[in-house]
Amino acid sequence: MKNLKLKAARAGLDMSQEDLAKTVGVSRQTINAIEKGDYNPSINLCISICKALGKTLDEIFWEV
Amino acid sequence: MNFYGLGVLAGLVLGILIIVVLLIFTKKNHSLRGKYDERQLIAQGKGYKYAFFTMLIYFSGLVVLDLTETFAVNAILLLPGVLLGVIVYVNYAIFSDAYFALNEAANRCFVIFIIAAAMNLLSGIIQIVDDIKLNNPIDEVNLYSIFVGVTVLEVLIVLVIKKVIDRKADREE
């Protein structure tokens, strides 16, 4: 399932996939795969992404 | 140790030195080690698994051919098995975006691949053509050069295809 909340949060901060990838120390393709729902990140990577975007885990990764 | 042994040892040391220099040259931060993220490491693990089973099937096939005496298996057939495993792993890693490390300069790798493919193919072909001209039996070492050259060329072609696919996908997004 696509993670549109991650894409929206990233776009809200005017960050590209490349910018977010560099901030959390992964490849751009990994951020792309998470947004497309092709890859389930580890909890450590989820936390890093949330910190980079200034969001909580629930806001980005919890499906309602 | 005789001169032949010393020559082999010197060649090995030089080879290792060249690999170390190339590993440093291809990294953006001049580090020796490549840094991969968690998704890349998982993809590489799958690639190793597929490569392992490919080699297992290949070498099992050779054993069966040898035992049933349907085909004379000799040492020259061992290297293609190893290279087949390399091709399976590398192709899987390339298409999973797990081949290049985060700190790797892909363009520099392209240059090295082009040089490696050209050197192996040219040296192998030139030596084999010379052997044929002189009516000498073809030296197995030259066939190894061609096998390695073809492998590197295949990897190079797959890298170019992947780059084209990625560019197309980026334009569509």
Side-chain angles (χ1 to χ4, degrees), chain A residues 17 25-30 32-33 39-42 45, chain B residues 35-40 42 96-97 102 162 166 170 173:
Chain A
Q17 287 183 343
V26 297
S27 66
R28 184 192 66 78
Q29 290 88 350
T30 297
N32 189 39
Y39 174 65
N40 289 321
S42 69
L45 181 52
Chain B
K35 185 178 176 286
Y36 298 92
D37 68 34
E38 57 179 46
R39 184 194 59 80
Q40 290 178 308
I42 291 169
S96 306
D97 294 307
L102 299 174
K162 180 71 170 77
D166 284 349
D170 284 347
E173 269 181 22

Side-chain angles (χ1 to χ4, degrees), chain B:
Chain B
M1 189 182 284
N2 58 18
F3 282 117
Y4 180 77
L6 274 174
V8 170
L9 192 67
L12 278 173
V13 171
L14 186 67
I16 291 167
L17 271 174
I18 290 171
I19 288 168
V20 168
V21 169
L22 290 180
L23 281 173
I24 293 169
F25 172 70
T26 55
K27 302 294 180 305
K28 289 172 191 166
N29 55 355
H30 302 297
S31 164
L32 195 61
R33 288 190 65 187
K35 185 178 176 286
Y36 298 92
D37 68 34
E38 57 179 46
R39 184 194 59 80
Q40 290 178 308
L41 291 173
I42 291 169
Q44 287 177 354
K46 282 185 185 170
Y48 284 128
K49 186 175 75 178
Y50 294 136
F52 169 74
F53 282 110
T54 304
M55 286 170 68
L56 201 66
I57 291 165
Y58 179 90
F59 287 113
S60 301
L62 283 189
V63 170
V64 170
L65 286 174
D66 197 43
L67 288 176
T68 55
E69 294 178 355
T70 48
F71 187 75
V73 176
N74 64 11
I76 195 80
L77 292 171
L78 298 179
L79 185 65
V82 176
L83 294 176
L84 198 63
V86 171
I87 285 174
V88 169
Y89 164 71
V90 172
N91 285 5
Y92 186 85
I94 288 170
F95 280 105
S96 306
D97 294 307
Y99 186 66
F100 291 116
L102 299 174
N103 56 343
E104 203 146 37
N107 290 339
R108 290 181 205 167
C109 292
F110 270 91
V111 175
I112 290 167
F113 281 134
I114 291 167
I115 294 168
M119 275 174 66
N120 279 288
L121 285 173
L122 282 176
S123 74
I125 290 167
I126 289 167
Q127 294 294 327
I128 285 174
V129 169
D130 281 351
D131 285 342
I132 292 169
K133 273 184 188 168
L134 298 169
N135 285 327
N136 287 338
I138 292 170
D139 191 352
E140 282 185 1
V141 174
N142 301 323
L143 285 176
Y144 290 152
S145 293
I146 290 185
F147 289 154
V148 173
V150 169
T151 303
V152 179
L153 190 65
E154 193 274 346
V155 171
L156 196 60
I157 291 167
V158 171
L159 281 172
V160 172
I161 291 169
K162 180 71 170 77
K163 205 160 191 172
V164 171
I165 292 170
D166 284 349
R167 275 192 189 160
K168 203 178 167 190
D170 284 347
R171 274 201 300 269
E172 284 171 1
E173 269 181 22

Side-chain angles (χ1 to χ4, degrees), chain A residues 3 5-16 19-21 23-24 31 35 46-56 59-61:
Chain A
N3 192 333
K5 286 184 278 189
L6 171 57
K7 197 170 184 176
R10 178 176 60 76
L13 291 175
D14 205 20
M15 282 177 105
S16 65
D19 295 334
L20 180 59
T23 309
V24 298
I31 298 296
E35 287 186 356
C46 289
I47 291 168
S48 298
I49 290 170
C50 288
K51 280 181 180 171
L53 297 174
K55 300 278 184 185
T56 64
E59 285 173 318
I60 299 290
F61 293 102

